[in-house]
Amino acid sequence: MKNKVSNILKHGKLGLEEIVTLLRSDGAERTELFSESARIRRKYVGNRVYFRGLIEFSNICDKNCYYCGIRRDNKEVERYSLSDKEILDAALYAFENKYGSVVLQSGELSNSRFASRITRLLKEIKKLSGGKLGITLSVGEQTEEVYREWFEAGAHRYLLRIEASNPGLYAKLHPDDNLHSYQRRLECLYLLQKIGYQTGTGVMIGLPFQTYEDLAGDLLFMKNLDIDMVGMGPYIEHANTPMIDYKSELLPIKARFELSLNMIAVLRILMKDINIAASTALQAIDPIGREKAVKIGANVIMPNITPGIYRDNYNLYENKPLSTDEDDDSKECLEARLKMVDVEPGFGEWGDSKHYFERRKPRGSVRKTLRS
Ligand code: SAH
Ligand code: SF4
């Protein structure tokens, strides 16, 4: 008799219950799940992996998320903010090394100086690359006006993880105030889509209080929102955060890693033509964690190009790869490791989300159905 996973994959209906079964799969069933997600990846988004040079340009943050190592109330972190020149040099490095795109990421600030600084930097990055470098922003919740200004200045993708799509779980992970509102975060995702960004979201996997149903709900949330890109990865505890109190309730780190791979595989089956990033947190657990994710469905890698002296202070979680691991993200190393998992590097390409273009086709035109 065929196992449950085979049946689900064969019949193609992916509701909450079926997704939970897939997320729990192990052993031979898991191998089957992975071979299906790898097949779908190849068929719908091809054999390439695209790069986004990650510039963590500041760890100064106004927010106080309970899980994050650079939250406002962690006084142990040395705060930094790269100069414009350092940011532009990193962008130029990405351009010259054919990474194709950069991600500008930081703690969340929402003042007008911050907004106009980003606008200026976006224009400069476009200029130094002759318009050829793609730019993703990941700097949190902002007003519609600011999102629009940045879009017009050249940012075309935005990453804003919902962190946990179940509002009840979200509330356990954040302080209960206006700065940390689930509704506001959701509205920001709608705004980003409305303005025209390729819109990315994601969640942390293996959080305290999180259930398999929550995770299945996260995947359905992404599907319902018709999201273009996803970056999701394991939650990794940080000693100087309130959530460390729940350390004993966590899944072992290896299990969080395995579950993250299952999430990526199921998402690839559920949303065939989106971009899925292999998160840095996977690499923090397993040196070839990102390549393992690429093998089973991810198609984006974000090599860290933050200058070494700062990188060690962008400690969202413990064991984040250090500046001394820098060579791991060199072009040659990436190329060699990707070869191991039989995919090609898409050097110099933007690697935009195919889903974005499908989603935006004018009404009335034939929207290709994604039958595998
Ligand atoms: N401040 C912005 C972007 C930087 S934080 C924002 O919050 O949107 C980027 C991501 O780091 C967050 O979305 C969160 O999912 C992740 N992160 C923070 N703390 C983490 C932890 N302890 N383990 C794993 N990921 C974490
Ligand atoms: Fe700030 Fe982002 Fe960390 Fe929350 S997750 S504390 S917004 S850097």
Side-chain angles (χ1 to χ4, degrees), residues 74-128:
N74 181 9
K75 305 292 180 215
E76 307 291 311
V77 197
E78 203 178 310
R79 302 289 167 171
Y80 71 85
S81 177
L82 263 63
S83 68
D84 286 7
K85 178 165 187 319
E86 285 166 323
I87 297 174
L88 296 174
D89 283 350
L92 189 63
Y93 173 89
F95 181 56
E96 287 173 345
N97 283 277
K98 300 200 164 30
Y99 282 156
S101 297
V102 285
V103 180
L104 294 184
Q105 192 181 77
S106 73
E108 185 176 311
L109 295 178
S110 38
N111 56 62
S112 56
R113 244 185 85 217
F114 181 76
S116 37
R117 179 172 187 222
I118 302 277
T119 303
R120 198 171 62 238
L121 286 165
L122 290 167
K123 289 182 180 161
E124 290 288 333
I125 293 173
K126 282 288 161 194
K127 202 154 91 191
L128 69 83

Side-chain angles (χ1 to χ4, degrees), residues 196-265:
Y197 283 96
Q198 290 175 49
T199 307
T201 194
V203 294
M204 285 174 285
I205 300 159
L207 288 160
F209 324 113
Q210 195 177 42
T211 64
Y212 280 95
E213 284 72 19
D214 286 331
L215 289 170
D218 289 337
L219 297 180
L220 291 171
F221 168 90
M222 293 166 195
K223 173 92 177 163
N224 289 338
L225 212 66
D226 213 6
I227 216 76
D228 306 307
M229 335 183 280
V230 171
M232 57 182 175
Y235 161 67
I236 305 177
E237 63 276 23
H238 188 295
N240 296 329
T241 61
M243 255 170 52
I244 199 70
D245 292 352
Y246 302 96
K247 190 179 163 114
S248 62
E249 289 175 28
L250 295 173
L251 283 175
I253 193 84
K254 188 86 196 338
R256 273 176 266 164
F257 177 86
E258 303 293 343
L259 186 52
S260 301
L261 291 188
N262 284 16
M263 282 283 281
I264 290 174

Side-chain angles (χ1 to χ4, degrees), residues 67-68 105-108 138-140 160-161 163 185 204 234-236 314 316-317:
Y67 43 83
C68 178
Q105 192 181 77
S106 73
E108 185 176 311
S138 175
V139 294
L160 186 75
R161 287 184 173 183
E163 315 294 1
R185 203 153 179 95
M204 285 174 285
Y235 161 67
I236 305 177
Y314 198 81
L316 301 167
Y317 44 81

Side-chain angles (χ1 to χ4, degrees), residues 5 13 37 56-57 59 61 69 74 95 100 105 151 158 195 222 285-286 289 327 352 362:
V5 166
K13 175 183 170 278
S37 60
E56 298 161 333
F57 67 91
N59 66 354
C61 188
N74 181 9
F95 181 56
Q105 192 181 77
F151 186 70
Y158 205 104
I195 293 168
M222 293 166 195
I285 300 179
D286 179 334
D327 272 358
D352 280 331

Side-chain angles (χ1 to χ4, degrees), residues 340-358:
M340 271 172 11
V341 291
D342 203 21
V343 291
E344 304 170 6
F347 285 126
E349 294 176 55
W350 280 17
D352 280 331
S353 162
K354 290 196 170 147
H355 187 78
Y356 172 80
F357 298 104
E358 282 296 321

